[in-house]
Amino acid sequence: MAENTLRPDTEFARQLMKAGGESLKECYQCATCSVACPLSPANRPFPRKEMVWASFGLKEKLMGDVDLWLCQNCGNCSDLCPRGAKPAEMMSAARDMIYRDLTKPAILGKWMSSSSGLGWLFAIPAVLWLIVWAIRAEIAGSWFPRAANGKIVFGEIFNGDYTIDPIFMLTFFGALAILLYGCQKLWQSFKPAGTITIIGKKKGWIRALCEVLWEEVIYASKFAECDGGPATGQKTDNRRISHTMLVWSFCILALVTAIVAIGHWGGKIIPAILITTPMPMTFPVKILANIGAILLLVALAMLTWRRARLNPRFQSSNYYDWYLLGIIWAVAVTGMLTQVFRLMDCIHAAFIIYYLHLMVVWMLFAYAPWTKLGHFVYRTAAQVYAKMYGRS
């Protein structure tokens, strides 16, 4: 007979409750949550089993549970729970705790877990970019220099070749390497001991990844399935439009960044494709950038409005949700204000806001493995695994 040894971790259960699953102990296993969930598979449905594991502090069970990442946090289960146990919040809190401790350095995960760590998180980029500003100001002879033609050009201080590009390339690829390592660890945790018996044809990971990116990232079909779930009596705004707009705005802005980078560096070799900044407002790439920025602001407004309207009796937003929203808001607002002050020729305000913009953009990428942005990557990896083995 096979033996299955359970290793309860009461400290983990307490941390889970502190992280957002406060009502966890209210669960009495009626299975309403699993019946209410429109995404839960018929075999081994969630989130009932996850509520059991969380109650006993079975950390290893939750860490190796791919179903934890299939939940889209629609809140149907929490709305219909007769005991107010809020399974959706427990699932969200468990995911937050897992990716908080998934990668190194652990201190960043600790700082990211509560508002008490914000000071350190802001201090790092503040000092970094202030040092860059001070060095460049010494070279330029002024903290707020103008270009030879009298215009405001941020490259006079924050030169792309020597400051912005090297720092952000190291930051981006460093964060990407950490995310990939985290995905590998997460993927390994899903694999059970021994061999896996697969009934039917297994999908390759490339095909599974393409399907997930199209269906669940670009098209956001799972949000539609959640909205088509049971009538809960609680009014909820459709998340599909706002999340799709957010993804597309990021894609547009990433495309603009890539075009500018290719035009800047490639233009040194092929003058015909050279792109210089600041770009004229009528330049096609600039127009595309402003479209992406406006789309981003609208998506952020919709997401923030929805979260602010959540009924705390059934659902609420945790610190991780508000942190990422706040950082993206800061990126969007400082980016737009930088352009406005430059066009208004307010040199002091323009440079100060640009400095703040560099800070928050750096934070967005550097801390991604420990934020909801990293959660987005880990969820995608989990969905690919589930798609490969026919779980979703």
Side-chain angles (χ1 to χ4, degrees):
M1 181 181 293
E3 294 184 2
N4 188 7
T5 303
L6 300 181
R7 300 180 178 84
D9 186 339
T10 55
E11 179 58 28
F12 174 76
R14 283 193 290 268
Q15 290 178 4
L16 191 58
M17 294 174 71
K18 185 178 179 181
E22 297 94 340
S23 305
L24 173 62
K25 295 299 182 180
E26 297 297 326
C27 174
Y28 63 174
Q29 284 297 295
C30 67
T32 298
C33 54
S34 293
V35 175
C37 179
L39 302 180
S40 182
N43 60 320
R44 298 179 71 246
F46 61 84
R48 184 188 182 187
K49 63 182 185 299
E50 285 75 15
M51 292 295 285
V52 175
W53 296 341
S55 297
F56 285 98
L58 301 181
K59 184 177 180 179
E60 291 182 4
K61 282 281 192 181
L62 287 172
M63 287 188 68
D65 180 34
V66 71
D67 292 353
L68 194 68
W69 300 88
L70 303 184
C71 166
Q72 296 288 335
N73 204 33
C74 67
N76 284 331
C77 55
S78 294
D79 292 343
L80 292 172
C81 178
R83 294 273 292 178
K86 300 181 181 178
E89 293 199 3
M90 187 286 298
M91 297 280 278
S92 179
R95 290 192 296 269
D96 292 341
M97 289 187 64
I98 288 172
Y99 67 69
R100 183 191 73 184
D101 300 327
L102 200 58
T103 57
K104 306 292 183 181
I107 188 63
L108 285 176
K110 182 179 179 181
W111 287 344
M112 193 61 64
S113 64
S114 71
S115 57
S116 61
L118 275 177
W120 290 107
L121 296 176
F122 275 99
I124 294 172
V127 171
L128 170 65
W129 291 109
L130 190 60
I131 291 173
V132 171
W133 195 349
I135 293 173
R136 293 288 299 169
E138 183 67 24
I139 296 172
S142 172
W143 284 71
F144 303 96
R146 290 183 179 273
N149 59 6
K151 292 184 177 180
I152 298 174
V153 177
F154 298 117
E156 293 293 311
I157 287 291
F158 301 103
N159 183 276
D161 291 359
Y162 309 115
T163 61
I164 292 179
D165 287 359
I167 289 174
F168 274 111
M169 286 177 67
L170 285 172
T171 301
F172 176 79
F173 287 108
L176 183 62
I178 293 173
L179 279 170
L180 291 176
Y181 173 69
C183 287
Q184 183 184 33
K185 283 187 64 178
L186 190 67
W187 193 289
Q188 290 299 321
S189 71
F190 295 148
K191 294 183 177 181
T195 57
I196 303 174
T197 301
I198 303 171
I199 300 175
K201 188 177 180 181
K202 175 187 170 184
K203 291 183 180 179
W205 72 268
I206 296 178
R207 179 184 172 186
L209 176 61
C210 291
E211 289 182 5
V212 169
L213 290 176
W214 173 251
E215 296 171 5
E216 305 188 24
V217 177
I218 303 298
Y219 191 62
S221 61
K222 292 299 182 184
F223 285 148
E225 291 183 39
C226 286
D227 290 336
T232 63
Q234 303 301 319
K235 179 176 174 54
T236 55
D237 299 321
N238 190 313
R239 297 177 296 163
R240 185 178 185 181
I241 297 175
S242 56
H243 278 76
T244 303
M245 288 176 65
L246 187 67
V247 169
W248 276 103
S249 67
F250 266 91
C251 290
I252 290 172
L253 295 173
L255 176 62
V256 168
T257 302
I259 292 173
V260 172
I262 292 172
H264 174 76
W265 291 101
K268 296 178 183 295
I269 302 172
I270 309 173
I273 65 170
L274 179 66
I275 294 178
T276 57
T277 55
M279 295 175 286
M281 296 299 292
T282 55
F283 192 60
V285 179
K286 188 67 172 181
I287 294 173
L288 185 62
N290 284 326
I291 290 173
I294 293 170
L295 196 64
L296 177 61
L297 288 171
V298 173
L300 285 173
M302 293 173 67
L303 288 167
T304 304
W305 176 246
R306 178 188 176 275
R307 290 203 171 276
R309 294 175 63 201
L310 289 176
N311 186 340
R313 179 184 171 190
F314 301 98
Q315 296 182 65
S316 61
S317 298
N318 61 26
Y319 172 73
Y320 286 94
D321 296 318
W322 286 118
Y323 171 84
L324 183 60
L325 269 177
I327 288 296
I328 299 177
W329 264 117
V331 169
V333 171
T334 55
M336 294 296 285
L337 286 178
T338 294
Q339 178 174 262
V340 169
F341 284 125
R342 180 179 62 81
L343 294 174
M344 291 174 62
D345 201 41
C346 299
I347 189 167
H348 294 86
F351 269 102
I352 291 171
I353 296 298
Y354 188 65
Y355 162 73
L356 295 175
H357 181 65
L358 292 175
M359 277 179 52
V360 291
V361 172
W362 188 89
M363 291 175 68
L364 180 67
F365 290 111
Y367 303 146
W370 301 273
T371 69
K372 284 287 184 180
L373 200 59
H375 166 274
F376 173 80
V377 177
Y378 300 137
R379 180 196 290 277
T380 301
Q383 289 172 330
V384 169
Y385 181 91
K387 184 80 69 174
M388 285 177 61
Y389 293 99
R391 184 60 181 157
S392 66

